[in-house]
Amino acid sequence: MWPENITVRCPLRRTRVTNSWIIIILLHSALFLFCICSSAQEHRSSCIGASANSQICASPECFRSEKRSKTMDDASGLERGFSMLDADFFNDTKMLEIEKGAKELTIPIIKDNRNIVATTNGGLKYPSPLVFNSVWKHKEAYDDTKRFSYPSVYDVTRPEKEDDIAFMNILELGHLIRTKQISSEELVGIFINRLKRYNPVLEAVITITEDLAYKQAKQADQLLAQGVDLGPLHGIPYGLKDIIAVPEYKTTWGSTTFKDQVLDIEAWVYKRLKSAGAVLVGKLVTGSLAYDDIWFGGRTRNPWNIEEFTTGSSAGPAACISAGMVPFAIGSETAGSITYPAARCGVTALRPTFGAVGRTGVLSLSESLDKLGPLCRSAVDCAIVLDVIRGKDPDDFSSRKIFLDDPFSVDITKLTVGYIEDAEMEVVNVLKSNGVKMVPFSLNYTIKSVQGILNFTMDVDMLAHFDNWQRSGQDDEFEAQDQWPTELRRARLISAVDYLQSQRARGKLIQQVKKSFTVDAFVGNATDWEKVCVGNLVGMPVMVVPVGFKKIKDPPTNNTRRRTAVATGIYAPPDHDHIALALTMAYQGVTDHHKKRPPINNLGPDDTIPNPPNAVIPPRILKS
């Protein structure tokens, strides 16, 4: 006989029932179902039925339920931690993803930085390189920095073919304009036609600023007719990476979220170029929010190998220079965004000293890393553009007057230049034959977490600029979910203390690199990630120098004309951009790799051009 009352104990509740066989049977069934829904730990420890012989549930359904319950428990625990950071807006999947990334990537970097700079108390060593200025309105004296002395160009005649005009350098195009062999308006027409012609395949242009271009070109022609010459960029078309604001035109940042954004801001670099008479013909592709080469309209292709993408995020500037769609362009770099696409697309580019070019009106990823720089046909063109856009921007506290020597007057025979293990030896040998003292070199420092320091710096700063974007869930619209969304979710868990420790570690890196930099410049790989991180953290300039071409990997046949561009870097200490420019000009003065044209009009017989959806591809592009 069953006792008068039965007390049933389970982990989560206690129930009293009356004596009844039916109730007993129902109770056993209820207990069985309850066990299915309980966690694995609860099954192992304490699910006790009315009978002393009750067994732990071992069915497949129970196992799957246990797994789901454990995942929910894990996420629930994480939610409490996230709430302390005021970041409990993430869903369970994102929190678990962030936890995984933190364990694998974030925590090891935190520990490395602590070991570098946090073992001694007091904070007297390795100060952060972050800059603060409490002046509310910055007033600068007139920037009277002496300008460079450009070489003169004579006896340049207008080519018969527009393709040949499109690949002329800035000084040659300027000579044609000044000698009235071509007008700025006519030149604008040539380049706008090329933008329209090649963009359906390359996906390198976001907005063609046609009305503005013809207006500015007409003004440039009128000024010259009145005897007013604004300098070497007078009447020369160019493009801007679409993170740079121009009034009345979209500044999309390459992002679906911001693709209709119009900023009523005139970026400082745009002002400088406009005052020099340059003519804006297009806003060029940036990878979404300045990351890689994927943007809301597609993915930018490499003119030298159109089945390959450019990398980024200055994807549009690099592709457009390579394909002769603009004579020069302005890109930006926080960590490799000029160097990588320039190297892949076979163009010459300068990532200048940090602070050399003002950034007002430009999307900011990291105030202590962002830089604007020129992508061009040659080092001579890079020097001309840098000379126009450098100087103090009154609204950018990190920008400053940098009194560079004239790169056209540098005596390279008085320079000692190092070369490291991954340097392209053709560059080393050419410079040596031109009288430069070339010596083996290594850049020595003890910091092992260089790449982690850069990631902490860039990601935390970026998240500060896009906090609302993340909190509102707009990161779910991002074009490549394994890029900014993943990085910035993980950055949410980097504490202020650990961020500052990374900056102090960066300060130590700067000290060690400065001490190790015993040469005037050095030659080395421009796209090695460690060097990219070191160069950007220290703020040193680098020239990306095309040095030739090699066969593509797995060519369709030996008749393909597609190529892989090969490049190297010439690095100089901060404020010595003129040294890197002078050395590159010396190299390019006796080589012609930078003058080569990609086979976009003349592919091999077995090559194919990818056909983007809904693209209208002019027949001329398909010419074999």
Side-chain angles (χ1 to χ4, degrees):
M1 179 177 288
W2 290 91
E4 178 68 19
N5 294 304
I6 298 176
T7 300
V8 181
R9 294 179 178 85
C10 275
L12 302 181
R13 63 183 181 179
R14 179 174 297 179
T15 306
R16 297 182 65 84
V17 298
T18 58
N19 186 10
S20 170
W21 285 106
I22 296 175
I23 292 176
I24 293 298
I25 293 170
L26 293 175
L27 182 57
H28 273 277
S29 299
L31 286 170
F32 180 77
L33 292 173
F34 180 80
C35 287
I36 290 177
C37 300
S38 298
S39 68
Q41 181 60 34
E42 290 169 343
H43 278 294
R44 286 192 294 268
S45 61
S46 58
C47 189
I48 303 172
S51 170
N53 294 321
S54 296
Q55 299 295 314
I56 295 175
C57 170
S59 70
E61 291 81 7
C62 190
F63 177 79
R64 286 193 291 269
S65 180
E66 290 173 3
K67 188 174 181 180
R68 286 195 300 271
S69 180
K70 186 175 187 307
T71 300
M72 292 171 64
D73 288 345
D74 289 345
S76 178
L78 287 172
E79 185 176 357
R80 291 191 294 272
F82 275 77
S83 67
M84 291 188 293
L85 298 172
D86 192 26
D88 53 354
F89 51 90
F90 294 117
N91 62 30
D92 291 355
T93 301
K94 290 178 180 177
M95 286 191 291
L96 291 169
E97 171 197 272
I98 294 168
E99 181 193 40
K100 182 176 182 292
K103 288 178 179 178
E104 294 177 355
L105 299 170
T106 307
I107 292 174
I109 298 169
I110 288 172
K111 290 180 178 179
D112 283 342
N113 290 336
R114 285 176 184 158
N115 290 335
I116 292 166
V117 295
T119 55
T120 302
N121 295 323
L124 299 179
K125 297 175 68 177
Y126 318 126
S128 166
L130 297 178
V131 175
F132 172 72
N133 192 320
S134 61
V135 175
W136 283 16
K137 186 63 179 177
H138 212 74
K139 294 183 179 180
E140 278 290 328
Y142 176 71
D143 188 355
D144 58 353
T145 304
K146 185 178 179 181
R147 297 292 144 186
F148 301 157
S149 300
Y150 315 115
S152 300
V153 175
Y154 303 101
D155 300 327
V156 176
T157 58
R158 175 175 174 167
E160 293 183 4
K161 297 180 179 179
E162 289 188 355
D163 278 0
D164 295 331
I165 294 174
F167 285 93
M168 297 178 81
N169 64 40
I170 289 173
L171 293 177
E172 291 169 339
L173 291 173
H175 181 77
L176 294 184
I177 292 174
R178 287 172 183 80
T179 56
K180 295 182 170 45
Q181 298 182 62
I182 197 170
S183 67
S184 179
E185 281 192 84
E186 189 178 358
L187 202 57
V188 162
I190 291 173
F191 284 105
I192 285 182
N193 286 340
R194 293 181 71 84
L195 292 171
K196 293 178 179 179
R197 176 181 175 184
Y198 294 117
N199 193 53
V201 169
L202 295 180
E203 298 181 355
V205 185
I206 294 180
T207 303
I208 297 176
T209 56
E210 189 165 356
D211 292 342
L212 177 63
Y214 280 113
K215 178 182 176 181
Q216 292 181 343
K218 184 176 181 179
Q219 292 172 343
D221 289 334
Q222 290 174 344
L223 286 174
L224 278 179
Q226 297 166 10
V228 178
D229 188 338
L230 299 178
L233 297 185
H234 191 123
I236 305 296
Y238 74 100
L240 290 174
K241 183 177 179 179
D242 199 31
I243 63 171
I244 302 171
V246 176
E248 301 180 13
Y249 284 90
K250 292 179 181 179
T251 301
T252 70
W253 300 341
S255 164
T256 299
T257 306
F258 303 100
K259 66 180 181 180
D260 296 318
Q261 172 178 257
V262 177
L263 300 174
D264 188 23
I265 302 171
E266 195 171 49
W268 189 84
V269 69
Y270 170 65
K271 289 181 183 179
R272 298 288 287 213
L273 290 166
K274 185 172 68 171
S275 67
V279 177
L280 179 65
V281 294
K283 303 289 293 299
L284 310 182
V285 163
T286 171
S288 186
L289 302 185
Y291 197 127
D292 202 29
D293 51 24
I294 300 171
W295 59 292
F296 69 84
R299 191 171 186 185
T300 307
R301 296 185 179 275
N302 177 8
W304 276 103
N305 181 7
I306 58 173
E307 292 188 359
E308 178 182 67
F309 300 107
T310 59
T311 77
S313 64
S314 297
C320 286
I321 295 298
S322 179
M325 295 159 74
V326 288
F328 76 92
I330 304 298
S332 71
E333 172 155 331
T334 305
S337 287
I338 288 176
T339 50
Y340 276 96
R344 177 163 288 188
C345 294
V347 303
T348 307
L350 169 64
R351 183 192 74 208
T353 294
F354 176 80
V357 182
R359 304 165 300 180
T360 298
V362 180
L363 167 67
S364 177
L365 270 62
S366 172
E367 288 93 342
S368 68
L369 291 172
D370 298 338
K371 295 159 291 293
L372 298 174
L375 293 90
C376 301
R377 305 246 177 278
S378 66
V380 171
D381 287 358
C382 286
I384 291 169
V385 176
L386 176 66
D387 200 28
V388 170
I389 63 177
R390 66 189 174 109
K392 175 62 185 175
D393 173 357
D395 295 316
D396 178 357
F397 290 159
S398 292
S399 75
R400 54 195 175 89
K401 295 180 182 179
I402 298 178
F403 294 95
L404 300 175
D405 289 339
D406 186 345
F408 299 101
S409 302
V410 173
D411 184 354
I412 62 172
T413 64
K414 295 182 178 179
L415 300 177
T416 299
V417 176
Y419 58 94
I420 56 182
E421 290 182 354
D422 59 9
E424 289 291 332
M425 292 308 295
E426 183 193 81
V427 177
V428 175
N429 294 331
V430 167
L431 292 178
K432 185 176 181 180
S433 67
N434 276 266
V436 180
K437 182 180 180 181
M438 304 298 298
V439 297
F441 176 73
S442 60
L443 193 65
N444 298 317
Y445 50 87
T446 63
I447 309 300
K448 295 182 179 180
S449 61
V450 167
Q451 298 174 29
I453 294 169
L454 185 133
N455 287 339
F456 267 33
T457 305
M458 178 174 63
D459 292 352
V460 171
D461 290 358
M462 176 66 174
L463 182 55
H465 299 150
F466 284 88
D467 188 23
N468 183 63
W469 174 78
Q470 186 188 75
R471 288 179 179 275
S472 63
Q474 289 178 308
D475 59 342
D476 288 333
E477 300 176 353
F478 194 80
E479 292 73 12
Q481 284 294 304
D482 61 337
Q483 295 179 359
W484 277 136
T486 298
E487 285 196 34
L488 299 188
R489 289 167 194 157
R490 190 167 61 244
R492 178 69 64 176
L493 300 187
I494 300 173
S495 72
V497 171
D498 291 310
Y499 176 81
L500 286 176
Q501 300 294 30
S502 73
Q503 297 311 297
R504 296 175 67 214
R506 179 182 179 184
K508 182 174 182 178
L509 173 69
I510 292 170
Q511 291 179 8
Q512 292 183 345
V513 169
K514 179 181 178 181
K515 184 177 180 180
S516 175
F517 215 121
T518 56
V519 291
D520 295 300
F522 72 86
V523 181
N525 191 317
T527 57
D528 173 73
W529 181 238
E530 178 79 3
K531 293 184 189 66
V532 168
C533 292
V534 171
N536 280 288
L537 288 170
V538 173
M540 70 172 70
V542 61
M543 287 294 304
V544 180
V545 188
V547 296
F549 302 88
K550 61 184 181 182
K551 290 184 178 180
I552 62 171
K553 185 179 180 180
D554 299 325
T557 69
N558 289 329
N559 293 323
T560 181
R561 295 186 177 93
R562 291 187 281 132
R563 293 290 182 269
T564 295
V566 180
T568 198
I570 297 181
Y571 297 78
D575 297 1
H576 288 74
D577 306 56
H578 56 284
I579 298 295
L581 284 162
L583 291 167
T584 307
M585 286 190 285
Y587 172 74
Q588 292 184 338
V590 294
T591 60
D592 64 354
H593 304 303
H594 61 292
K595 296 180 181 180
K596 301 294 185 182
R597 304 180 191 179
I600 191 166
N601 264 347
N602 195 18
L603 295 172
D606 299 308
D607 285 322
T608 58
I609 293 182
N611 189 358
N614 303 320
V616 178
I617 305 178
R620 286 183 296 177
I621 298 182
L622 299 176
K623 178 182 177 182
S624 62

